Amino acid sequence: MSDIIRLLPDSVANQIAAGEVIQRPASVVKELVENAVDAGATSIQVIIKDAGRTLIQVVDNGKGMSDTDARMAFERHATSKIERADDLFSLHTMGFRGEALASIAAVAQIDLRTMLHDSEAGTRLIINGSKVESQMPEACAPGTNLMVKNLFFNVPVRRKFLKKDSVELANIMREFERLALVNPGIEFQFVNNDTTVHRMVGSSMKQRILDLFGKSLEKQILPVSTTTPIVTVNGFIGRPEHARKRNALQYLMVNGRHMRHPYFHKAVMTCFEPLIPGDSQPNYFLDFRVDPQTIDVNIHPTKNEIKFENETAIWQILTAAVKESLGRFNAVPGIDFDSSEVPEIPVFRPNAEGMHEVEIDRGYNPFDQPRPRQSGFSGCNSLRSTGKISDWEQLYEGFMGKPMEGSNQEANLESVESTLLDEPADSEMNVRNCDESATIQIKNRYILSPVSSGVMVIDQHRAHVKVLYESYISQLSESTAPSQRIMFPEIIELDASQGALLSDIAPKLEECGFELSFLGDNSWSITSQPSLLSGVKPKDALLRIIDDAAQNRPDSSDGWKSLLALSMARSAAIQSGKRLSAPEREHLLNELLKLPTPNYTPDGLLIISVIQNENIAELFA
Ligand code: ADP
Ligand code: MG
């Protein structure tokens, strides 16, 4: 039999290679923009027609190519970026394989104009499915202008498998966003079917985030920054209350390259887990800088997945940096009640998103009815901001026609504030002067305390949940939690799905101090419960845990601890509607403000808001 093995012609080999590098129009955009970045461009324009089917054009002001290089660029394994295998381990460029242009030219029609900056004239090169049709000198702008027309024109199967235009365009846009985000210093323009979608000047990473994803992010993101010998991490994380159920913006970058890194994603998620609901995802934009020798960008053909030499150490640095940023933002213990420097904590602003805990009755007209004059109030009159109009009717009830002036100030103030209370004031000081340690309770739900920037409003139930959660978490982490026998075991009857869930999670519950026996037919008896829960009905606590676990089943042992701690904290915490004595209020407040992150419950609900002095002043403007 004669020999049958032949070498494939280059054009066929290129087409096969193209299958790997160029999967869809978005891949072309990525390769061309990366080439422009590597060429040192400071301005890059991306022009798309028909979701990239008809045209993908990238125009840059980078260094351009000589006539010969322009030709060479389309050969396979032709690259100016590495010379030897060793260079692979110290990459400073996006490209290095020398495959992209050859692959693109194999499956499309190319029209390239390029000129070196110090040249008199440029060159124009036309290629059709790997075949060079023509090359001639042409007067053109310094830099490179590359048009990729009729992608997959010669591979009908690939063309047929392109998704709907809307899907391909969305892929292109997502790719463009990543490229623009990792290169914030470069000016970018994106034109789709003759409409300019983005025009962004070179700027900081923050500005780029706002340009790409909307100005509203400005108030939603917190800076992260840390420098260590093995990695520098810079960027932004979303505030926990802006975590999204869908389409969270999550970007990891290393040395100017976008990357997928499930392990570092998980690192960020662990920091947010206690702060956001289980079905939400935080936004993040994190840029890592490492010595190129300590990463391997070569493990994936589209170069998205990157291997780090120091993965475990970077995990720790990353989580520390993210937690530090979350903590700094939540740094309420740092509130210096006397100093004018108040750390950044959520601040009440009328109509601000997510700040509905405290509302101002903007419909209030002081001339509707006789009302007290405000001259007698000091900072405490911000209590006006407690919510529904009915509270205010109640507040002013005792004051109809009673002017408040001069020497009556103190008495009036006390009287106003005791009217505020739902129950008559007891002998204790529910009302204090507005000095730094004063707290009052309103609606048996909120604790108010003056701070230098205004009035801090604390949701008492949430505050207590947080305090208990932190204490439970540390006790659950120590060892098996202590248990308390129940004098008369409680019987709990569940429905089928609750029963199945409880059989499943019973071992976890036993670890944390429950003792349960199965009585058959979805009935259980509770013979012991965690000592932590003394005073709480075991049945209620257990039902709550079952409900919580049904909604969000943890998959790690830390996740379980957190769920149990939170669920038990919710059961054991003082509820809204409970009147608190002054010492109780102060104790709660002290315990809360001792925590490193007192502003949010572990599931992301706001605990503390501040009604700012300006807003109080506005009420009387
Ligand atoms: P790689 O980027 O991996 O080197 P490519 O096939 O993408 O491979 O490009 C081949 C070569 O063409 C590059 O190494 C570079 O020298 C040159 N080149 C490509 N695009 C540009 C551009 N926009 N400006 C200047 N040179 C370019
Ligand atoms: Mg390239």
Side-chain angles (χ1 to χ4, degrees):
M1 209 164 88
S2 60
D3 297 337
I4 52 168
I5 298 180
R6 271 172 293 140
L7 274 176
L8 288 174
D10 272 358
S11 58
V12 179
N14 285 345
Q15 254 190 38
I16 294 170
E20 214 191 331
V21 185
I22 306 303
Q23 290 136 349
R24 51 174 38 96
S27 337
V28 177
V29 172
K30 173 176 188 284
E31 294 296 338
L32 298 188
V33 172
E34 287 188 348
N35 279 348
V37 172
D38 284 345
T42 56
S43 171
I44 300 175
Q45 194 183 12
V46 178
I47 300 165
I48 301 294
K49 291 234 162 88
D50 306 318
R53 263 173 231 275
T54 318
L55 176 73
I56 299 164
Q57 181 178 12
V58 173
V59 186
D60 71 58
N61 65 352
K63 64 177 184 242
M65 287 177 265
S66 69
D67 304 1
T68 321
D69 279 354
R71 277 286 267 276
M72 272 294 284
F74 291 90
E75 296 292 328
R76 249 177 105 201
H77 310 303
T79 178
S80 55
K81 299 171 192 173
I82 56 172
E83 283 177 17
R84 56 190 85 82
D86 274 0
D87 294 346
L88 272 177
F89 302 104
S90 53
L91 279 176
H92 290 280
T93 52
M94 308 300 295
F96 57 88
R97 294 158 179 261
E99 273 179 340
L101 291 187
S103 302
I104 296 167
V107 293
Q109 296 159 338
I110 304 289
D111 185 345
L112 166 73
R113 291 177 180 85
T114 184
M115 188 175 94
L116 293 169
H117 278 249
D118 52 8
S119 264
E120 301 273 289
T123 186
R124 180 170 182 189
L125 176 65
I126 310 260
I127 303 177
N128 238 334
S130 291
K131 187 164 167 281
V132 177
E133 301 285 348
S134 68
Q135 184 173 18
M136 61 207 117
E138 180 153 316
C140 49
T144 300
N145 177 347
L146 204 161
M147 297 165 103
V148 175
K149 298 180 188 166
N150 303 318
L151 184 64
F152 300 134
F153 79 104
N154 54 351
V155 201
V157 193
R158 301 288 304 277
R159 201 165 168 90
K160 213 169 88 197
F161 276 99
L162 284 177
K163 303 237 166 60
K164 281 195 307 218
D165 275 12
S166 58
V167 176
E168 294 298 350
L169 182 65
N171 284 324
I172 292 175
M173 299 281 293
R174 209 161 306 135
E175 195 62 64
F176 174 82
E177 284 160 7
R178 289 186 196 128
L179 291 159
L181 187 64
V182 286
N183 297 291
I186 298 178
E187 175 178 296
F188 273 95
Q189 196 183 352
F190 184 90
V191 180
N192 176 46
N193 290 339
D194 301 321
T195 305
T196 301
V197 180
H198 284 291
R199 187 197 295 274
M200 298 170 289
V201 296
S203 177
S204 63
M205 181 172 182
K206 180 164 188 187
Q207 188 55 47
R208 184 53 53 93
I209 292 171
L210 305 184
D211 286 345
L212 283 168
F213 307 113
K215 298 261 172 294
S216 62
L217 278 171
E218 168 131 43
K219 297 216 167 61
Q220 302 183 10
I221 54 178
L222 306 166
V224 174
S225 174
T226 190
T227 305
T228 70
I230 59 168
V231 67
T232 296
V233 184
N234 278 305
F236 296 87
I237 50 173
R239 291 176 187 255
E241 72 271 29
H242 293 289
R244 300 182 174 190
K245 288 223 160 54
R246 253 164 279 109
N247 303 329
L249 303 165
Q250 301 186 326
Y251 294 87
L252 295 176
M253 300 154 252
V254 59
N255 294 0
R257 191 186 286 280
H258 169 262
M259 66 169 168
R260 257 180 48 75
H261 207 290
Y263 183 68
F264 293 157
H265 164 77
K266 179 88 179 111
V268 179
M269 292 304 292
T270 17
C271 304
F272 276 90
E273 240 156 46
L275 303 172
I276 62 177
D279 56 351
S280 299
Q281 295 264 333
N283 294 326
Y284 60 76
F285 313 86
L286 296 167
D287 186 25
F288 297 64
R289 298 284 153 165
V290 295
D291 177 347
Q293 309 234 19
T294 64
I295 52 171
D296 180 0
V297 295
N298 207 6
I299 62 171
H300 196 270
T302 56
K303 296 170 274 182
N304 258 346
E305 273 164 32
I306 289 176
K307 184 126 191 50
F308 286 69
E309 204 174 280
N310 300 313
E311 232 157 46
T312 328
I314 296 178
W315 166 290
Q316 277 158 4
I317 295 163
L318 175 62
T319 49
V322 171
K323 283 184 181 163
E324 200 257 340
S325 169
L326 287 167
R328 192 155 25 93
F329 149 66
N330 279 328
V332 174
I335 286 190
D336 176 354
F337 287 82
D338 284 321
S339 104
S340 54
E341 246 209 78
V342 177
E344 198 186 356
I345 53 175
V347 151
F348 163 73
R349 273 184 207 91
N351 307 326
E353 255 180 89
M355 293 290 175
H356 38 247
E357 269 76 6
V358 195
E359 280 170 8
I360 290 188
D361 163 24
R362 299 206 145 256
Y364 163 62
N365 176 349
F367 301 107
D368 281 352
Q369 283 176 29
R371 303 269 174 157
R373 283 172 45 191
Q374 60 269 56
S375 59
F377 292 84
S378 64
C380 280
N381 55 4
S382 59
L383 292 173
R384 170 131 178 19
S385 311
T386 53
K388 290 187 258 48
I389 183 82
S390 56
D391 303 338
W392 296 100
E393 302 293 273
Q394 211 181 338
L395 163 62
Y396 285 110
E397 247 167 37
F399 291 92
M400 297 298 198
K402 260 201 238 167
M404 299 168 64
E405 262 165 4
S407 58
N408 285 336
Q409 270 187 23
E410 300 273 322
N412 290 336
L413 180 59
E414 232 176 86
S415 175
V416 166
E417 286 164 345
S418 54
T419 326
L420 255 176
L421 301 166
D422 290 340
E423 293 162 37
D426 55 27
S427 57
E428 282 177 44
M429 289 276 288
N430 275 305
V431 177
R432 301 262 194 91
N433 289 327
C434 288
D435 67 30
E436 51 205 51
S437 62
T439 61
I440 67 156
Q441 186 188 26
I442 55 168
K443 296 296 287 175
N444 286 343
R445 176 168 182 189
Y446 301 112
I447 300 170
L448 271 65
S449 178
V451 288
S452 58
S453 59
V455 176
M456 181 161 70
V457 185
I458 295 110
D459 181 306
Q460 68 188 40
H461 171 67
R462 292 179 183 180
H464 200 203
V465 166
K466 175 78 176 187
V467 168
L468 291 177
Y469 170 85
E470 291 296 342
S471 129
Y472 291 176
I473 267 286
S474 62
Q475 295 182 55
L476 289 177
S477 302
E478 269 163 30
S479 58
T480 315
S483 191
Q484 193 177 45
R485 276 212 87 66
I486 297 169
M487 192 102 75
F488 303 102
E490 281 201 34
I491 310 294
I492 177 167
E493 282 168 2
L494 302 170
D495 65 31
S497 68
Q498 288 173 320
L501 183 71
L502 183 55
S503 334
D504 220 335
I505 66 173
K508 291 278 170 210
L509 297 180
E510 283 174 2
E511 266 172 46
C512 85
F514 278 101
E515 212 176 285
L516 306 166
S517 5
F518 181 52
L519 306 175
D521 207 17
N522 296 319
S523 291
W524 297 69
S525 110
I526 312 172
T527 46
S528 296
Q529 75 167 354
S531 313
L532 301 173
L533 286 178
S534 70
V536 177
K537 282 195 187 132
K539 215 163 146 175
D540 293 350
L542 190 60
L543 275 173
R544 191 188 284 264
I545 292 172
I546 295 171
D547 273 1
D548 289 351
Q551 277 176 33
N552 180 19
R553 193 76 178 270
D555 53 10
S556 66
S557 93
D558 280 347
W560 270 108
K561 270 184 208 136
S562 173
L563 179 133
L564 293 171
L566 179 57
S567 200
M568 295 196 300
R570 287 215 197 98
S571 299
I574 45 160
Q575 302 298 323
S576 290
K578 174 151 173 36
R579 184 177 182 83
L580 300 178
S581 66
E584 286 171 333
R585 297 194 298 266
E586 294 214 6
H587 180 69
L588 176 58
L589 210 57
N590 288 338
E591 291 299 304
L592 176 70
L593 296 180
K594 265 190 224 156
L595 302 176
T597 56
N599 277 6
Y600 289 92
T601 61
D603 50 345
L605 301 174
L606 194 62
I607 299 173
I608 302 174
S609 195
V610 172
I611 306 171
Q612 284 224 304
N613 288 326
E614 300 97 87
N615 297 120
I616 295 168
E618 261 170 44
L619 297 173
F620 304 101

